[in-house]
Amino acid sequence: MPRKTISPDRALRLDNQLCFALYSASHAMSKAYKPRLDALDLTYPQYVTMLVLWERDGLTVSEIGERLYLDSGTLTPLLKRLEGAGYISRLRDAADERRVLVQLTAAGRKLKARAADIPACMLDAMQCSINELADLTRQVQQLRDRLQTA
């Protein structure tokens, strides 16, 4: 596929950088989530980890890492903090001692009900329709997937 040419001066403008638009939008998103997650005493990485477990309990550490695009060095301390808060338990798989299973505790399951209004609050904060949000999410996921295979 032929590349379109653009002058270096124009190409190197901050406002023309998709990476910066995504970075700054991610920063703004984190700021919008913060007060809602502070009320649950969760960080954003802990929240998305809980989302994964609320979808499917009893995953291995590596399965959670794959789902969140995190390596075990990043995920393990995060899981330790969730375990310390009483939301999850980690145990060695009896069938394969190398695998660590992560399971929600009763408190972790109850936390889901407390977090239930976060998506609606964030939709209001983003001031877009559900269809707009779904389209944007799909486009960003496709971009992520293309970049990972590049």
Side-chain angles (χ1 to χ4, degrees):
M1 178 199 274
R3 291 186 184 186
K4 292 185 178 187
T5 58
I6 183 170
S7 74
D9 284 343
R10 189 167 178 206
L12 293 174
R13 288 186 185 151
L14 183 63
D15 289 338
N16 291 340
Q17 306 302 311
L18 174 60
C19 60
F20 183 71
L22 290 169
Y23 169 80
S24 58
S26 177
H27 182 69
M29 185 78 73
S30 295
K31 274 182 79 173
Y33 266 101
K34 187 165 178 18
R36 292 157 180 88
L37 296 178
D38 283 351
L40 301 178
D41 200 27
L42 290 177
T43 63
Y44 183 77
Q46 291 170 338
Y47 173 67
V48 295
T49 302
M50 294 302 291
L51 289 174
V52 168
L53 291 167
W54 291 329
E55 284 179 23
R56 189 169 149 225
D57 196 5
L59 295 172
T60 64
V61 172
S62 61
E63 288 170 326
I64 295 169
E66 286 173 21
R67 188 79 168 90
L68 296 175
Y69 300 89
L70 294 175
D71 61 40
S72 63
T74 302
L75 193 54
T76 298
L78 189 153
L79 292 172
K80 283 182 180 179
R81 287 190 298 276
L82 286 172
E83 188 174 38
Y87 296 134
I88 64 164
S89 62
R90 294 177 304 145
L91 29 123
R92 295 264 171 212
D93 186 348
D96 184 348
E97 289 282 319
R98 296 169 296 176
R99 294 170 24 120
V100 175
L101 300 172
V102 181
Q103 295 184 311
L104 292 167
T105 63
R109 286 188 291 280
K110 285 181 186 176
L111 186 63
K112 183 178 181 179
R114 292 181 49 214
D117 67 334
I118 291 176
C121 290
M122 291 304 299
L123 187 62
D124 288 345
M126 289 182 271
Q127 301 176 33
C128 62
S129 71
I130 290 176
N131 288 339
E132 288 173 313
L133 182 61
D135 288 344
L136 182 57
T137 300
R138 182 184 43 74
Q139 289 174 341
V140 172
Q141 288 167 338
Q142 287 173 344
L143 174 63
R144 176 203 60 214
D145 294 345
R146 281 187 232 128
L147 288 170
Q148 287 197 311
T149 59

